[in-house]
Amino acid sequence: MLVDLPYDVQPRSYDPEVTAKNFPKADLLGAYHAATDFLVARPDVDAKRLVVCGDSYGGMKSTLNAANDDRFAALVASAPLYSWPLVIKNGVMPPFVMGDPEESKKIINSLPWLSRVTLHRVCWMHGFDSIVEWLPATENNMEFDPRDLKCAFLSIRAESEGPEVVRQATECYEKASSKKKALWIGKAEDGADFHCQINNLALRFQVQFDFLDEVLDYNG
């Protein structure tokens, strides 16, 4: 099931109030739980073999979901993160969280078109005018303890990821309480070293579904 939930790109287009300002962590998790409730109620769904997966920011949100719901058989995340605030502060965005909101927007507006539009869009979909204003909300909403992960877990990251993403993806794998877990790194030698393995998705999906076949005891 593909679903738009709070903090995703589209929901604010449906309802301007569906933002991080109005959906604290408890409500965000409530939306996740409601989506899973919908799935397990369907007669064509095996409730014992649910898998949650996501890429990029969706990798972080999928991992947050799995850490707070024990109904998943497996989690596949590229890349799994447990603290979005640390990604902002220590990872790809430090210049944008220094100073006041206007200074932050000036720096963003000086970036190339794609980076500029992406960062403005991320702020907008969370209900804020700048990353400086968004950061405090992430400190309340977008953090969890990776030891709360208990389902089977495949942690994926690319060789070219920044240090903070590498650290968190590795720590999620190491600290997860999952009985079955694996860490896979997309490398240049395999043509899979870009973020979310977008330069070799076929290989990434092969790794992902081989893992799930084993976890779910699927024989074709």
Side-chain angles (χ1 to χ4, degrees), residues 5-24:
L5 294 167
Y7 306 6
D8 291 344
V9 175
Q10 291 301 328
R12 197 179 179 197
S13 300
Y14 311 146
D15 184 344
E17 298 303 310
V18 182
T19 70
K21 284 185 175 180
N22 300 307
F23 271 79

Side-chain angles (χ1 to χ4, degrees), residues 113-204:
W113 180 85
L114 181 59
S115 299
R116 180 174 71 250
V117 171
T118 299
L119 289 171
H120 281 310
R121 178 69 168 174
V122 167
C123 290
W124 175 85
M125 76 190 212
H126 287 83
F128 299 95
D129 292 327
S130 75
I131 292 177
V132 172
E133 296 170 328
W134 175 36
L135 180 58
T138 69
E139 291 171 340
N140 294 323
N141 297 346
M142 304 304 291
E143 292 185 306
F144 63 92
D145 188 337
R147 289 172 292 190
D148 290 334
L149 291 169
K150 297 180 175 63
C151 64
F153 174 35
L154 175 59
S155 174
I156 297 174
R157 70 163 176 85
E159 191 174 49
S160 64
E161 304 280 12
E164 182 63 24
V165 173
V166 170
R167 187 186 70 79
Q168 289 198 36
T170 304
E171 196 168 333
C172 276
Y173 162 73
E174 291 175 346
K175 289 187 175 181
S177 302
S178 312
K179 293 181 180 179
K180 174 70 175 178
K181 58 183 179 180
L183 173 66
W184 185 77
I185 302 170
K187 298 181 178 180
E189 62 195 63
D190 301 317
D193 56 317
F194 288 1
H195 180 57
C196 294
Q197 300 72 53
I198 57 173
N199 53 338
N200 196 344
L201 286 174
L203 175 60
R204 210 294 295 284

Side-chain angles (χ1 to χ4, degrees), residues 1 3 5 26-48 50-52 65 68-72:
M1 178 175 72
V3 59
L5 294 167
D27 291 339
L28 176 66
L29 295 177
Y32 289 170
H33 278 252
T36 305
D37 289 344
F38 170 81
L39 275 179
V40 298
R42 291 178 59 93
D44 56 345
V45 169
D46 185 344
K48 295 182 180 179
L50 294 181
V51 177
V52 59
N65 190 353
N68 287 275
D69 194 329
D70 61 5
R71 291 176 290 179
F72 295 110

